Every structure is written in structure tokens, then in C-alpha cells.
Amino acid sequence: MKQIEHEIVIPDEGFSFKIFMFEGKNGHYFRSQHWHRSLEIFAVFKGNLSFYINDKPYPLHSGEMILINSNEIHSISSPEPNTTLVLQIPYSLFQKYVERDQMVLFAHSLGSDRELLRLIWEIYQCIRSQRDGEEWRAQSYFSQIMYCLITRYREKKITEEDLRQYRRLDRLSDITAYMSQHYDEELSLSSVAEKFGYSPAYLSRMFRKYGKTNYKTCLQTIRLEQAFRELKEGKKTIGEIAMDNGFPNSKAFAREFEKKYGLLPSKYKKDKKLP
């Protein structure tokens, strides 16, 4: 059974969005199936990517963009080097425009919209510059992007299948978001099930049926991702990171870290020259 991961999107500090250079820029990269509540735009400035949204292929070339809606399962293949910016927008910003069942939907293909491409590139440059006042320019460009999305690309017709897909993963999104906020606590299946008004057996079935995973694996993934961020910051020892993120000891943390990322935490620190 292939796991489908839920990704938690955290906006950049001081902004209502997140923007970054695609991690598959060097090629030889594949991001397995995952979903998130936030909307996501991939803007390709050089090279090619292959997208799969709900298993439907969407090839993407230089000068083109694609939008992934809230709770859409997608994967990305990046075999060759590319220059691609990723803009992630919290779903909550669109609450005023929801249609059926608290849902808003946008077209997947944004084509070669030169205005949107320019705005995304300008935001990235503003944030990189870190000059005084640039944060206001970045926010103004983002406001223009929101206007373009709402006026040009919002879908008015929402099908029953769209609704079913959204409802299924929205329930899991609420649960995994809660787990992400309390990952460092003792989170048993029964305690989380009680929190959301489900029986442990029903919650377990939800993870297996919709997330193609189990509760324990999902919690482990959340803890590993948080541990990876802390390791990258370089402010804590490996032992401190292990204990702060729900691992019984540094050996157990190292084992799971190597399984997911392909190298030991100590090797990662050494390669990145972290303290």
C-alpha cells in the first residue's frame, strides 16, 4: 500500500504566503503522491516538469504554470535540471469566495500568463533582496496575483466528484494538522480519535482508505519532518532533537531519519557543516 502524505504548509515569516525555489531544480527528483489544504502554483521559467493530479498527467514546460487546488492528490517528476518557483497560498484566504460546501476551485492550467509569471518572479526577488520596504512590494505583487486568480481562473462549476474528494481529504487535513501542532505530545490513536469524535477503529480506517497509510506511520512522518527542520537550523544536538520530537532516543531517531532521507543525521550535519 503506497502512502499518500499530507503536507503542512507554513507561510513565510511576515507574509500570508510561502514562496521558494523548487527543491527538484537539479533534476533526478521525484515527489511522491501528497496533498495539502493550501493552493499551490508551480511556475516554470526554464526546463520541464511532469505533474500528476489525481493520476492525470499534466506536462509543464518553460514559461508555463499549473495550479493545484486544496486537497488534490498530486505527484511531481523532475528528471532534468529546471528553474521553477513554487507559490503556496493558504486556503483560508479564499473563504469569501467559496461555492458549494465551503469549497472554491480553480483551473489547473494557468498556461503562459506572462503577468502571473512576472508577479511570481518579482515576489521571489523582493524576498531575496531583504532591503527595507521590499516586504511591502512583495505583498502588493501577491495582492495582484490573488486578483488574477479570483477574476480569471476561478471555476464556477463544482462536480459531485470534486466535492467527495474534497470532503474526504479535508477531514484528514484537520486531523493531521492537529497532529502537527501536538507532535511532541503523547498522541495515541484513541486520544486523537476521541478529540474528533471518532472511534479508534473508524479513524484507523480513514487513514488506510484515504491516506493509504496508517496512523503510526503518519505520526512518524510528521515528527521526522519537524526533526529535519530543527536539524537544518543547527541550534540543537541530535539527542535534543530526538527527545523533543517524540523519539525514545537518538539511535531510534537516526534509524528513522536514514530510512526517510537516505543518510544519518550526523552525516547530514557534517555535509551541511552545521554546528
Side-chain angles (χ1 to χ4, degrees), residues 130-147:
Q130 297 185 336
R131 292 194 301 265
D132 289 345
E134 288 297 291
E135 68 275 16
W136 294 106
R137 277 217 307 162
Q139 193 60 52
S140 71
Y141 291 141
F142 178 68
S143 296
Q144 293 177 61
I145 288 173
M146 291 290 286
Y147 176 77

Side-chain angles (χ1 to χ4, degrees), residues 19-31 42-51 76-86 121 124-125 128 232 272:
I19 190 166
F20 54 94
M21 188 67 71
F22 177 47
E23 58 265 34
K25 62 183 179 181
N26 296 321
H28 306 291
Y29 177 90
F30 178 77
R31 178 68 162 96
F42 273 69
V44 180
F45 292 87
K46 184 178 180 181
N48 305 287
L49 296 177
S50 293
F51 261 82
I76 313 154
S77 176
S78 172
E80 303 294 335
N82 61 88
T83 301
T84 302
L85 289 178
V86 184
W121 184 261
Y124 184 68
Q125 297 305 318
R128 285 187 68 194
K232 191 175 181 180
K272 297 295 182 180

Side-chain angles (χ1 to χ4, degrees), residues 161-179:
E161 180 54 34
D162 290 331
L163 279 174
R164 281 194 293 271
Q165 170 80 356
Y166 177 80
R167 288 168 182 158
R168 286 194 296 258
L169 292 180
D170 200 50
R171 287 198 296 269
L172 266 189
S173 292
D174 285 336
I175 295 166
T176 54
Y178 174 81
M179 292 165 64

Side-chain angles (χ1 to χ4, degrees), residues 39 67 89 93-99 104-106 110 116 142-156:
L39 277 76
L67 182 146
I89 307 173
L93 297 183
F94 297 99
Q95 287 302 308
K96 181 180 178 181
Y97 306 98
V98 296
E99 299 288 339
V104 62
L105 205 62
F106 294 88
L110 305 181
L116 270 180
F142 178 68
S143 296
Q144 293 177 61
I145 288 173
M146 291 290 286
Y147 176 77
C148 289
L149 292 177
I150 291 163
T151 57
R152 298 181 196 172
Y153 296 106
R154 185 163 48 124
E155 298 279 11
K156 297 296 185 179

Side-chain angles (χ1 to χ4, degrees), residues 17 21 46 52 79 84 104 126 132-133 135 144 149 152 154 188 214 222 224 229 240 264 267:
F17 56 85
M21 188 67 71
K46 184 178 180 181
Y52 299 88
T84 302
V104 62
C126 284
D132 289 345
E135 68 275 16
Q144 293 177 61
L149 292 177
R152 298 181 196 172
R154 185 163 48 124
S188 65
N214 58 57
I222 290 170
L224 271 173
R229 282 194 288 269
E240 288 172 337
L264 291 168
K267 181 71 163 56

